[in-house]
Amino acid sequence: MVVRNGHEPQSNVRFDWTVEEIETIYNLPFPELVYRAQTIHRRHHNPEEVQGCTLLSIKTGGCPEDCAYCPQSAHYQTGVNRHALLDVEEALASAAKAKEQGATRFCMGAAWRDAPKGEEFSSVLSMVRGVRALGLEACCTLGMLTAEQANSLAEAGLTAYNHNLDTSPEFYGEIISTRTYDERLATLEHVRQAGVTVCCGGIIGMGETRTDRYGLLKQLANQNPHPESVPINMLVRVAGTPLADQSDLAEIGALEMARMIATARILMPTSMVRLSAGRLSLSDEAQALCFLAGANSIFMGERLLTTPNPEMDRDQRLLDSLGMRLRA
Ligand code: SAM
Ligand code: DTB
Ligand code: SF4
């Protein structure tokens, strides 16, 4: 039940946030920040539920991009075994299992700079159709897309396309040199035009400043419409990547994650805010704080794409202990 006391924060949806406004929200006294986020959250979402999503890496490693965080970049020795595109049957068997385990969204990730043409792309379209036929939401993240590819994915029934902006435009060049922010924005535009919903978020803990975090949030929150899905990742440090020893992660911790999530929730009231990579470094209490801050989705299962994630039964125990549940 929503308790109205006459002092509820306003949650008019806006697309013209300034960095200063975002900074002010992000730095509110913590109780005030969480109160505002939770109040807005309750207006648009059921606070007892989180959506379970399952990830599958359909094409692993050997990526030509040089994203400094990524274990799948061919530029770094990370020990990730390369794997060509999975068979359609294999991917759909995974999707069926994910459904059995309570996921309602199935996300297929591929380590490509841009989505391929020809046979491989046709296989991905078959995977999308198969996932939709199981009654699951289907999401893909395949790198950059042309307008035509976005349209084909839409026709196959794709629910969402994940394409992260990762950080602020100013810091982007420190993390990735093989593509530009504008190329990222162009793909997001193709996805939007095709009528596929947008999943777009970023990573904290890469050595960016808070100002970079405000900058990312501004890029996300000033898209009209807002991305329907906003994954907030905490860097998973992977040996061999340039960010393997990123040491300020200790101070990033749960409170920074909660501030990031709460601010995203306030700026984008109706979006799904996903507590994504990094949950293994968060305690149960820290994750509970992220839910309070307005996160309403998690990736389930012991693996993200290539890195570990909490076991299903740990997540089930966590939700049980919080009196929360997976969205049916
Ligand atoms: N190649 C496609 C792309 O870059 O859009 C899709 C796959 S890529 C692995 C998907 C997202 O995972 C990236 O945009 C990044 O935000 C996130 N990611 C990758 N490695 C990560 C890490 N070590 N820690 C946190 N997030 C990570
Ligand atoms: C997103 O923002 N996080 C997920 C999903 N979108 C594709 C991926 C996280 C990947 C973490 C590193 C890995 O497991 O390889
Ligand atoms: Fe390639 Fe995506 Fe990893 Fe960048 S994040 S190296 S584009 S798989």
Side-chain angles (χ1 to χ4, degrees), residues 55 71-72 141 162 164 199 202 231 233 236 276-277 299 304-308:
L55 275 168
Q72 302 199 71
T141 178
N162 167 251
N164 290 341
C199 173
N233 297 279
V236 179
S276 302
F299 286 111
L304 291 165
L305 289 171
T306 66
T307 63

Side-chain angles (χ1 to χ4, degrees), residues 63-67 69-73 110-113 179 184:
C63 183
E65 303 280 67
D66 68 354
C67 311
Y69 48 75
C70 188
Q72 302 199 71
S73 166
W112 283 316
R113 170 180 162 81
R179 61 163 182 260
R184 240 24 210 177

Side-chain angles (χ1 to χ4, degrees), residues 249-328:
L249 205 60
E251 46 181 278
I252 295 296
L255 292 180
E256 203 66 24
M257 194 68 175
R259 282 192 182 275
M260 189 74 189
I261 287 171
T263 309
R265 168 54 65 226
I266 292 166
L267 301 178
M268 295 170 280
T270 64
S271 303
M272 298 296 294
V273 176
R274 304 191 195 271
L275 172 56
S276 302
R279 288 198 300 119
L280 273 181
S281 14
L282 295 175
S283 66
D284 285 359
E285 294 80 0
Q287 294 184 65
L289 203 53
C290 292
F291 296 141
L292 261 178
N296 58 350
S297 173
I298 53 173
F299 286 111
M300 304 193 316
E302 62 195 24
R303 197 149 283 281
L304 291 165
L305 289 171
T306 66
T307 63
N309 192 49
E311 308 270 344
M312 289 274 311
D313 55 348
R314 176 175 163 196
D315 281 340
Q316 197 51 63
R317 279 200 305 276
L318 170 63
L319 293 180
D320 286 348
S321 69
L322 298 174
M324 294 176 69
R325 57 183 181 272
L326 289 175
R327 195 169 92 186

Side-chain angles (χ1 to χ4, degrees), residues 19 22 164-177 179-185 188 201-203 206 208-223:
V19 169
I22 295 171
N164 290 341
L165 288 171
D166 284 336
T167 189
S168 68
E170 294 76 20
F171 191 63
Y172 202 69
E174 303 288 316
I175 298 297
I176 300 155
S177 77
R179 61 163 182 260
T180 64
Y181 216 76
D182 283 344
E183 287 179 295
R184 240 24 210 177
L185 293 170
L188 290 168
I203 308 178
M206 302 191 293
E208 76 286 348
T209 61
R210 274 192 170 176
T211 305
D212 290 312
R213 287 177 217 134
Y214 316 146
L216 167 65
L217 288 165
K218 178 179 151 139
Q219 289 289 326
L220 299 172
N222 289 350
Q223 288 176 36

Side-chain angles (χ1 to χ4, degrees), residues 3 5 28 51 53 74 90 92 121 132 149 151 154 156 200 221 228 230 249 251 263-264 267 283 305:
V3 179
N5 62 8
L28 282 170
Q51 182 179 31
C53 308
E90 236 175 309
L92 294 181
F121 193 63
R132 297 295 287 144
Q149 288 173 318
N151 289 332
C200 184
E228 287 78 3
V230 180
L249 205 60
E251 46 181 278
T263 309
L267 301 178
S283 66
L305 289 171

Side-chain angles (χ1 to χ4, degrees), residues 57 67 80-81 88 106 190 213 235 280 282:
S57 183
C67 311
V80 164
N81 291 322
V88 176
F106 191 69
H190 295 152
R213 287 177 217 134
L235 177 70
L280 273 181
L282 295 175

